[in-house]
Every structure is written in C-alpha cells, then in structure tokens.
Amino acid sequence: MGSAIGIIANPVSARDIRRVIANATALQITDRANIVLRVLSCVKACGVDTVYMMPENGGIRHHVRRGIDRAENQGLKHFPKLEYLDYKISGTVDDTLKAARLMQEKGVAAIVVLGGDGTHRAVVTSCGDVPIAGISTGTNNAFPEHREPTITGLAVGLAVTGKVPADQAFLPNKKIVVRVNDHEEIALVDVAVVTERYIGARALWRTETFRELFVTFADPEVIGMSAIAGLLTPVTRTDSHGLHVRLAPEDEANIMLDTPIAPGYMRGIGIRDYTEMKPNVKYRPSITDGSIALDGERELSFSNKDDVTIELVTNAFRTVNVSGCMQYASRHGLMRMNQKTNA
C-alpha cells in the first residue's frame, strides 16, 4: 500500500505591500496549479497513492482538475487519487491551520506547502510531527528553499515511500517561540522587534523602525529581515544556534549594511552589534513599547506592562531533506529503469 501526502496551496500568498514598494512578481493561479500538477505526477511515480488537498476558492482546484482530466482522457495514469478536505472555506489563515490539522489526523506522511514564510509557519503550527516540504510562492521567502518543484515532489515521493531511509530523508529544524504574557506564537526564520506599535500594513519595510532581530538561520542568499543576519555572518539551518542582531540609527551604527529587504528593494541598515542566539534561553526586547514581526509580518504589539520573551527551540519540527533524498537516489540508482550490462 502506498503512502498518502497532503498539499496545502495558498491561492493568495504574495499580496502584501511589498508588491507595491518593490519589484516583486506574483504567481498566477494557473502557475500555482501547474506546480501542484508537477508535484502530483512525481509523487505518483514514486508510489504515492493518495493526496489530500486544502480546499480553496481561488481557482487552483479548477485548473488542477482540468489537468488531471486531460491526462485521463489521453489514457495516462500520471496522477494519484486526489481528495479535497471537507470543511467550510473562510478565505483566511484558518483554512491553512485546519487543513494541516486534518492532514495530520488522516496520517499523511508529509505535507507539501505552496506559499510564503507565513503559510509555512501556519502549517508548522498545526501539523504536529508531520514533516513538510516547502515550495516558494510568496514574497519574501527565506524558509522554503528555491528549487524546481518537480525535484521537491520527487524527493517527497522517495522519502514517504521509504525508498530513502528516514534518517537521510528528513531533517530537524529550529523555530523561535515568542510569548507575550500568556499568548504564544512561533517564527520559522526571524523575529523582528520594531518601534511601531500600530500593526497596519503587516509586512515590514520601514527600516528606520527596526531595533532588534532574532533568526533561526542566517543565509546571505535570501531576502528580507533574515538577509540582514545572513550578510553579517552565515548560520546554517542545522547549526544548534541562531543569531541575535541589535540594530541602530545610522548615526549610532557600528556597521552600515546594504540589504535586500524585498525583491529589488535595497536599504541601508544600521547595526550596533550581533552575537549567537543560544537555544533555550529567554531573550527580552531592548525596547519597552513596540511590535513584533514573525517571519516578516507584524503580528504582536507590546508595551511596558507586558511580559515578552523570545526563545530559540531546536528539533522543533521536520522537513523533507530534498537535497539529501536526491543525492541518495543518485548514489543508489533509485531512478534507474531497465539497464543493460556488459556480458
């Protein structure tokens, strides 16, 4: 019996203010549907029988169905059985949270996520111990690695069907837990402390308000808040620590950093200092009033009356090790078909 996976495709990711201030592009619904079809075809080739998808009203479902029907009319069996979860669509992040929870209850072996950092964060919040595989379809996407979705789908198929051993198919990941009094939220990549208390346009782009940054990993090849840390010193996803960066106005900065805050949007960032962020240590903001952004979007405000802690947690959730799966497949000939040998 083959394994089942889930697919959560956000039809409305990448529609924040950075579309206006930066030179970003938006994936059309047909593009998102085509990504889903690529993933479906690849997991089917590896032996996945059933895929559960998040329902949505954005149009992805229609285009995916049309692609499957077209293949079936040609007598092709390229796709697994596709079932949509049954619940009332709200058009909000609640759809993602509910889909991830239901997929876990159905026992899926992995969840493929199409969206930005916020979508991935929502899935991790609700999916329990189910590993995820990210495909970037948002604006500032530091968490999902950028690669052809065909390869991501293939790696997921190899991982969940056991063709790649679990210790090589999956990787542990860090997260940051933010607590404001009794309320708890998580970030997968970065937590930024800014001076503005008004949430307003949730995406961060006014660099003069930045005061502090905490990251799980620091990659100089990404954009957004995590790019600040990445251009200071790299920290990998598998390192046991993160990075804590204190920012400053230009006249007080020890380092000025030219940083890609959004696609094609470069800004100078003043750095006071930076140091390793240790796991299981409760950090507190250096300012008494402001707001906190999780993975680039402001979610929480606080004042001097609030108790705010920021903590790095290791081994928090799992992802499909796409690179590891494909390297294993190559070394062990998993993708070889009939092969002639010399007599």
Side-chain angles (χ1 to χ4, degrees):
M1 180 178 177
S3 298
I5 70 163
I7 297 180
I8 293 177
N10 185 350
V12 295
S13 58
R15 295 186 184 178
D16 57 57
I17 195 171
R18 290 168 297 208
R19 294 286 148 191
V20 178
I21 65 163
N23 299 307
T25 57
L27 278 180
Q28 301 301 312
I29 289 297
T30 52
D31 297 322
R32 298 169 197 247
N34 286 335
I35 289 173
V36 171
L37 288 168
R38 282 179 250 174
V39 171
L40 290 173
S41 177
C42 290
V43 298
K44 172 65 174 179
C46 294
V48 173
D49 291 335
T50 304
V51 174
Y52 298 99
M53 274 196 71
M54 178 181 79
E56 43 72 41
N57 289 328
I60 295 176
R61 176 176 5 194
H62 168 75
H63 290 287
V64 168
R65 185 71 258 169
R66 190 166 62 180
I68 294 174
D69 289 344
R70 185 166 56 243
E72 290 180 348
N73 290 338
Q74 296 172 356
L76 303 175
K77 303 296 182 182
H78 286 174
F79 302 106
K81 179 183 178 183
L82 181 61
E83 296 185 18
Y84 283 88
L85 300 174
D86 184 15
Y87 60 82
K88 185 177 180 180
I89 300 169
S90 69
T92 69
V93 70
D94 288 341
D95 293 337
T96 299
L97 296 169
K98 185 176 293 185
R101 185 172 64 252
L102 291 175
M103 287 173 183
Q104 181 200 23
E105 292 174 0
K106 288 182 176 294
V108 300
I111 298 175
V112 178
V113 184
L114 282 69
D117 289 344
T119 306
H120 288 79
R121 182 174 73 251
V123 173
V124 169
T125 299
S126 295
C127 71
D129 60 354
V130 179
I132 69 170
I135 296 176
S136 174
T137 61
T139 311
N140 284 18
N141 300 315
F143 181 76
E145 296 175 312
H146 289 258
R147 61 166 53 87
E148 165 56 38
T150 301
I151 302 302
T152 300
L154 189 55
V156 170
L158 293 170
V160 303
T161 55
K163 294 179 174 64
V164 177
D167 63 345
Q168 299 182 56
F170 306 105
L171 286 174
N173 288 256
K174 298 169 277 187
K175 70 179 179 181
I176 297 176
V177 177
V178 178
R179 298 180 181 91
V180 178
N181 304 321
D182 295 328
H183 182 71
E184 181 177 301
E185 297 279 357
I186 67 167
L188 307 187
V189 183
D190 53 67
V191 170
V193 179
V194 301
T195 56
E196 293 176 315
R197 289 201 64 200
Y198 175 62
I199 300 298
R202 294 170 61 196
L204 289 184
W205 60 280
R206 292 186 58 201
T207 57
E208 66 273 15
T209 68
F210 300 172
R211 287 299 176 266
E212 225 166 348
L213 177 64
F214 302 84
V215 300
T216 57
F217 63 89
D219 185 348
E221 296 184 42
V222 302
I223 59 175
M225 295 300 294
S226 54
I228 299 171
L231 292 171
L232 288 170
T233 184
V235 177
T236 72
R237 296 173 189 247
T238 56
D239 285 335
S240 61
H241 64 278
L243 201 70
H244 175 204
V245 182
R246 292 199 305 161
L247 301 104
E250 184 173 351
D251 59 349
E252 299 176 16
N254 294 313
I255 301 170
M256 285 301 298
L257 201 64
D258 199 15
T259 310
I261 294 298
Y265 188 76
M266 303 293 295
R267 285 296 179 270
I269 305 292
I271 308 297
R272 192 180 305 277
D273 54 40
Y274 59 94
T275 186
E276 286 188 3
M277 184 184 187
K278 303 293 186 182
N280 307 315
V281 174
K282 289 182 170 58
Y283 294 79
R284 297 182 185 277
S286 58
I287 59 176
T288 57
D289 297 79
S291 60
I292 294 175
L294 308 172
D295 296 326
E297 294 188 345
R298 279 174 288 193
E299 300 278 359
L300 303 164
S301 61
F302 65 93
S303 71
N304 57 4
K305 298 179 181 179
D306 296 310
D307 181 27
V308 183
T309 62
I310 300 167
E311 182 179 358
L312 178 69
V313 178
T314 57
N315 297 317
F317 64 99
R318 293 185 298 158
T319 51
V320 175
N321 180 7
V322 176
S323 177
C325 286
M326 299 313 298
Q327 293 293 331
Y328 185 95
S330 175
R331 290 194 306 270
H332 294 270
L334 297 187
M335 306 309 297
R336 296 185 185 186
M337 301 173 77
N338 293 338
Q339 179 175 304
K340 294 181 179 180
T341 58
N342 293 328

